């Protein structure tokens, strides 16, 4: 088990390092750099920058140094907890993204909670009442969940909200709380706004999860030990909860790791459609402007959060699945 | 003594692996229906220009946001498909263009009429279209028009061509990467296997959309349609190959232990010949099934990226670009027909899912699972 833990932690560190390189390459990839796009912007405004000033800017942002050097500078600062300053906005990156990062996480977590809260009872119901009218209904809904991409679902929800209730159902906070400091009232407001984005974001994963749980539970229910337990007179509820469900639950925890990258990805697009104040709009504009510290840090942080989430789900799995604990493999 | 069954006067019917696969696939009714739907969609891909009723790029401000136009089939008791002409006028009181139908005039809708010029399958120029109003192609707007007065139905037909081929191209590219890397990983094992598996794990734990966004944003704005299309395919398959790679590796690992592979080895067959004669045929059907299941993800990715303005860009036409027009809820509430491109998106995703499911169930014709 210790060996597994060590290997898993090492792998997480390796992944984060790989993501840091990928995010750096992403920002370096477009032709030109931040200063060239800045010079272009100034020129288009009719106030061109003198060449020596351009050089000064390059030196100030370290753009005159080779790429490897710049990567090391960036990493060195990050490790000291300095996220850098956004070139375009002139604000510290940490200041721009702190609230937004938490909101992104809040939306993703709400989507995970939604997924579990719906998939668990529905999956169990579909399995123990296989081929019933309810099972068919849920199967149909699952197909719909798989077939509608979440940005389309978001669009549909916004449209229906507008047509039926004449209200803008987007956003995460009521207008009066947007700039307010965090307190209980603002948190409550956020919680009230979360269900709709969670529904939009979580539907695809929920549909997938229901199918998995149903299939696994059906496999387990047809095994001889269930028949034995029933023959010995165990009540149906205890019979179900005792073993089959516990075995069938395994993929719930193990897929949570892959669910998280999927949800974080999805939240970017859903945020754009439903105008949620997550990191999505900032990331998009920073990528367009080649704002290294802002865009790079965002991609990196999203990656790190995902890796940490995956790690947590693996540790949970370690806790509930003895096969991993004793054999060191899943 | 070894004697062939025929010598006993018995005729044996044998079915090839593919026939068995097909027989089992046919039992999955939903998959068969979906396969027919996909066939129809790819027919649209081939015949997009022929099916279009108007030039998808022709801008006409006076026709902006025209609602869908019903075709009336009967006329004075006889069969005479026709539409009523529509004229748009700017209404200064509501700041909107209002389209009025003239119920007295009738424009006949005919099959095989002349319209805008195009190259049929890239072979020869023609101007023949499936249907339309003779001499007045712009008079017909089956699904309404967009904000620039372009015919939505014709654009949808052209968008189908782009969106369905880009998904296919992306999957083919992922397939090549996945089969080669997954095959190496599964067949040779050892250090190469560990390395490739780590790379896959890292790629799978990165949120894809930020990565795609970054790569897509890196494409210079002045690139042409074709170049963006090609690079986007590469970007999509960069992540798409991981799942296929895992599937192929898993299959190889299982198959290597099969008795017939051992038998072939004992009979002195070389490595290349074992791979070619025994392993590749055995995994083909699984690979096809996995590839089919990977297609919807590609289509969603292209649609989402284009929808955000980071995928394909106008003048290219794709489902994502068409849905961009429906981005504003306020616009959408007045012109719900702009949401029409969502229908083929959902239909294609579901159809690929069903066909993939059917193929996966049918992939192993010799297993006893039904």
């Amino acid at each position: 088990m210790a060996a597994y833990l060590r290997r898993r932690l090492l792998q997480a560190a390796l992944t984060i390092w790989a993501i840091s390189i990928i995010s750096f390459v992403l920002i370096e990839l477009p032709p030109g750099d931040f200063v060239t796009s800045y010079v272009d912007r100034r020129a288009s405004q009719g106030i061109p920058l003198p060449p020596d000033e351009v050089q000064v800017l390059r030196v100030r942002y370290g753009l005159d140094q080779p790429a490897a050097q710049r990567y090391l500078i960036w990493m060195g600062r990050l490790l000291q907890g300095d996220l850098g300053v956004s070139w375009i906005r002139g604000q510290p990156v940490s200041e721009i993204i702190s609230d937004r990062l938490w909101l992104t996480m809040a939306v993703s977590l709400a989507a995970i909670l939604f997924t579990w809260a719906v998939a668990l009872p529905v999956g169990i119901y579909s399995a123990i009442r296989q081929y019933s009218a309810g099972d068919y209904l849920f199967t149909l809904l699952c197909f719909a969940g798989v077939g509608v991409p979440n940005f389309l679902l978001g669009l549909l929800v916004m449209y229906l909200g507008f047509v039926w209730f004449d209200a803008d159902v987007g956003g995460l906070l009521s207008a009066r709380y947007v700039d307010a400091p965090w307190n209980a009232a603002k948190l409550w407001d956020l919680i009230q706004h979360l269900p709709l984005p969670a529904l939009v974001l979580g539907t695809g994963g929920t549909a997938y999860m229901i199918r998995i749980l149903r299939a696994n539970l059906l496999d387990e229910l047809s095994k001889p030990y269930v028949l034995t337990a029933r023959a010995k007179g165990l009540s149906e509820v205890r019979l179900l909860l005792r073993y089959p469900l516990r075995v069938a639950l395994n993929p719930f925890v193990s897929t949570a790791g892959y669910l998280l990258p999927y949800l974080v990805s999805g939240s970017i697009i859903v945020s754009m459609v439903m105008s949620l104040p997550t990191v999505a709009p900032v990331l998009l504009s920073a990528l367009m402007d080649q704002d290294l510290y802002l865009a790079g840090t965002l991609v990196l942080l999203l990656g790190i959060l995902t890796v940490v989430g995956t790690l947590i789900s693996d540790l949970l799995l370690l806790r509930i699945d003895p096969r991993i604990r004793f054999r060191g493999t899943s | 003594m070894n004697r062939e069954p025929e010598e006993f006067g018995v005729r044996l019917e044998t079915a090839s692996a593919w026939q068995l696969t097909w027989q089992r696939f046919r039992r999955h009714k939903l998959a068969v229906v979906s396969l027919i739907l996909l066939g129809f969609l790819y027919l649209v891909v081939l015949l997009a220009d022929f099916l279009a009723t108007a030039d998808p790029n022709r801008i006409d401000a006076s026709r902006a946001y025209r609602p869908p136009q019903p075709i009336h089939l009967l006329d004075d008791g006889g069969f005479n498909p026709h539409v009523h002409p529509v004229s748009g006028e700017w209404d200064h009181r509501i700041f909107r263009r209002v389209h009025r139908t003239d119920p007295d005039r009738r424009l006949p809708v005919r099959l095989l009429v002349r319209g805008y010029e195009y190259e049929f399958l890239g072979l020869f120029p023609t101007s023949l279209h499936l249907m339309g109003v003779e001499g007045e192609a712009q008079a017909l707007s089956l699904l309404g028009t967009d904000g620039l007065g372009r015919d939505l139905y014709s654009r949808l037909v052209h968008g189908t061509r782009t969106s369905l081929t880009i998904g296919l191209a992306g999957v083919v590219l992922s397939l090549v990467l996945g089969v080669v890397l997954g095959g190496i990983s599964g067949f040779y094992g050892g250090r190469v296997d560990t390395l490739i598996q780590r790379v896959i794990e890292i790629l799978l734990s990165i949120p894809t959309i930020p990565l795609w966004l970054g790569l897509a944003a890196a494409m210079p704005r002045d690139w042409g349609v074709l170049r963006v299309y090609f690079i986007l395919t590469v970007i999509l398959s960069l992540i798409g190959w991981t799942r296929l790679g895992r599937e192929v590796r898993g299959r190889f690992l299982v198959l290597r232990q099969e008795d017939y592979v051992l038998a072939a080895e004992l009979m002195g067959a070389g490595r290349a010949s074992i791979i070619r004669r025994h392993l590749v045929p055995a995994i083909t059907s699984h690979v096809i099934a996995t590839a089919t299941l990977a297609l919807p993800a590609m289509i969603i990715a292209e649609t989402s990226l284009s929808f955000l303005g980071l995928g394909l860009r106008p003048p290219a036409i794709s489902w994502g670009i068409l849905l961009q027009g429906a981005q504003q809820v306020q616009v959408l509430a007045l012109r719900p027909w702009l949401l029409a491109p969502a229908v083929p998106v959902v239909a294609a995703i579901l159809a690929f899912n069903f066909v993939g499911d059917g193929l996966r169930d049918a992939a192993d014709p010799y297993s006893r699972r039904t």
Side-chain angles (χ1 to χ4, degrees), chain B residues 280-308:
Chain B
V280 170
I283 64 162
T284 314
S285 47
H286 286 275
V287 167
I288 293 175
T290 318
T292 316
L293 286 170
L295 255 160
M298 293 275 168
I299 293 176
I300 293 180
E302 181 278 320
T303 317
S304 310
L305 282 179
S306 304
F307 178 74
L308 287 181

Side-chain angles (χ1 to χ4, degrees), chain A:
Chain A
M1 183 177 155
Y4 173 79
L5 214 63
R6 202 163 40 237
R7 215 188 63 205
R8 196 61 197 74
L9 282 174
L10 192 74
Q11 188 193 329
L14 199 70
T15 310
I16 290 176
W17 174 71
I19 294 177
S20 81
I21 290 190
I22 292 174
S23 0
F24 185 76
V25 171
L26 273 186
I27 315 302
E28 291 284 311
L29 212 53
D33 53 33
F34 165 71
V35 172
T36 28
S37 64
Y38 181 65
V39 168
D40 284 351
R41 209 176 5 248
R42 282 287 294 269
S44 69
Q45 286 164 355
I47 15 177
L49 229 54
D52 51 326
E53 215 166 302
V54 174
Q55 197 48 44
V56 169
L57 273 179
R58 274 189 196 280
V59 175
R60 187 198 304 168
Y61 291 119
L63 290 172
D64 53 337
Q65 282 154 20
Q69 187 102 37
R70 265 177 293 149
Y71 171 76
L72 288 179
I73 296 175
W74 182 47
M75 275 296 109
R77 286 202 188 143
L78 270 182
L79 289 178
Q80 292 165 27
D82 176 10
L83 300 188
V85 173
S86 161
W87 293 339
I88 291 274
R89 298 163 189 244
Q91 254 176 305
V93 170
S94 51
E95 212 169 90
I96 303 174
I97 62 173
S98 61
D99 261 17
R100 289 175 175 271
L101 205 58
W102 291 122
L103 287 176
T104 309
M105 279 293 113
V107 171
S108 303
L109 279 180
I112 289 190
L113 286 182
F114 171 85
T115 305
W116 285 345
V118 174
L120 191 60
V122 171
I124 294 176
Y125 173 85
S126 277
I128 54 178
R129 296 265 183 280
Q130 193 187 11
Y131 302 137
S132 67
D135 180 29
Y136 278 120
L137 177 74
F138 286 128
T139 306
L140 207 69
L141 284 177
C142 279
F143 285 142
V146 170
V148 183
N150 50 26
F151 80 95
L152 213 54
L153 192 61
L155 206 60
L156 213 61
V157 166
M158 296 281 284
Y159 171 68
L160 293 181
F162 191 82
V163 175
W164 288 348
F165 305 110
D166 200 16
D168 182 4
V169 294
L172 272 183
L173 293 165
S174 305
R176 64 200 155 105
Y177 287 115
V178 170
D179 290 319
W182 281 100
N183 56 28
K186 185 172 179 180
L187 195 66
W188 178 237
D189 187 58
L190 172 69
I191 291 173
Q192 281 179 317
H193 277 84
L194 275 177
L196 220 46
L199 170 87
V200 169
L201 194 54
T203 303
T206 308
Y208 176 70
M209 217 58 132
I210 290 175
R211 301 310 296 168
I212 291 188
L213 183 60
R214 179 177 179 273
N216 280 332
L217 203 52
L218 280 177
D219 278 354
E220 287 300 317
L221 285 177
S222 63
K223 285 190 177 162
Y225 74 83
V226 177
L227 196 64
T228 312
R230 188 170 288 140
K232 289 174 86 176
L234 209 61
S235 78
E236 281 297 310
V237 177
R238 283 194 58 192
L239 174 74
L240 180 73
L241 298 182
R242 202 77 197 186
Y243 296 109
L245 188 61
R246 275 165 72 174
V247 179
L249 265 186
N250 227 356
F252 247 66
V253 184
S254 64
T255 46
Y258 291 122
L259 195 62
L260 202 66
Y262 169 78
L263 287 176
V264 170
S265 284
S267 80
I268 305 279
I269 288 188
V270 171
S271 300
M272 298 309 291
V273 179
M274 301 185 74
S275 54
L276 310 177
T278 60
V279 290
V282 177
L283 176 65
L284 221 56
S285 68
L287 279 171
M288 298 286 198
D289 294 330
Q290 293 185 260
D291 196 341
L292 169 68
Y293 287 141
L294 191 51
T297 310
L298 272 177
V299 175
L300 182 61
L301 281 182
L302 285 178
I304 290 178
L305 283 175
T306 317
V307 172
V308 170
T310 316
L311 193 64
I312 292 174
S313 89
D314 274 6
L315 294 182
L316 276 178
L317 197 63
L318 195 66
R319 173 112 196 84
I320 69 164
D321 191 345
R323 282 172 298 189
I324 302 177
R325 240 179 299 160
F326 296 125
R327 265 192 263 135
T329 52
S330 51

Side-chain angles (χ1 to χ4, degrees), chain B residues 39-281:
Chain B
F40 171 74
L41 281 177
Y42 277 99
L43 204 66
V44 173
V45 168
L46 278 179
L47 303 175
D49 278 306
F50 175 67
L51 292 170
T53 54
D55 185 345
N57 286 318
R58 185 170 148 168
I59 294 171
D60 184 352
S62 70
R63 293 164 36 87
Y65 291 133
R66 209 194 235 199
Q69 197 178 19
I71 296 184
H72 303 275
L73 287 180
L74 298 178
D75 183 20
D76 295 334
F79 182 72
N80 176 30
H82 64 273
V83 289
H84 298 301
V86 176
S87 57
E89 230 171 75
W90 187 262
D91 189 325
H92 290 282
R93 283 165 307 166
I94 55 172
F95 292 100
R96 227 174 44 215
R97 185 170 295 282
V98 181
H99 295 280
R100 287 203 180 74
T101 323
D102 180 358
D104 298 328
R105 280 183 57 214
R106 296 190 175 99
L107 297 171
V109 177
R110 296 281 174 261
L111 288 178
L112 299 179
V113 294
R114 299 274 156 196
Y116 71 93
E117 287 264 331
Y118 64 96
E119 294 228 323
F120 186 76
L121 299 179
L123 295 175
F124 52 90
T126 174
S127 63
L128 203 63
H129 294 268
L130 178 65
M131 61 173 175
V133 175
E134 191 80 57
E136 227 180 319
Q138 301 293 317
L140 188 66
S141 51
L142 288 174
L143 288 177
T145 63
D146 66 3
L148 293 174
R150 294 172 294 195
D151 183 45
L152 197 59
Y153 163 73
S154 305
R155 288 176 70 73
L156 195 55
V157 166
H158 277 87
T160 304
R161 170 184 276 179
T162 318
S163 292
L164 283 182
T165 51
I166 205 168
L168 212 56
V171 162
V172 169
L173 208 58
S174 328
L175 206 60
V176 174
L177 278 171
V179 168
V180 171
L181 290 173
I184 291 174
S185 193
F187 197 82
Y188 291 104
R191 266 202 205 153
V192 192
D193 182 33
T194 316
L195 182 73
I196 293 178
Q197 289 314 304
R198 285 297 94 78
V199 171
I200 289 183
E201 267 162 27
I202 289 175
L203 280 178
L204 276 180
S205 62
I206 299 174
T208 44
I209 298 281
L211 190 62
W212 276 331
L213 286 183
L215 287 170
M219 279 189 285
R221 294 261 120 195
D222 52 352
W223 276 11
V225 172
L226 258 177
R227 212 157 149 199
V228 170
Y229 180 97
F230 175 72
I231 296 293
L232 202 63
T233 324
V234 176
I235 292 177
L236 294 186
S237 49
L238 266 179
I239 311 257
W241 72 269
T242 50
R243 249 163 242 287
L244 281 164
R246 283 206 152 170
E247 177 82 15
V248 172
R249 170 178 175 267
R251 283 281 136 199
F252 261 96
L253 285 181
V254 171
L255 287 173
R256 251 190 356 180
Q257 326 239 317
E258 288 279 346
D259 291 341
Y260 64 80
V261 175
L262 185 67
E265 261 170 25
L266 290 177
M267 287 169 79
R271 216 168 225 193
S273 125
I274 290 181
I275 294 183
R276 207 180 55 246
R277 297 276 311 273
H278 299 295
L279 297 187
V280 170

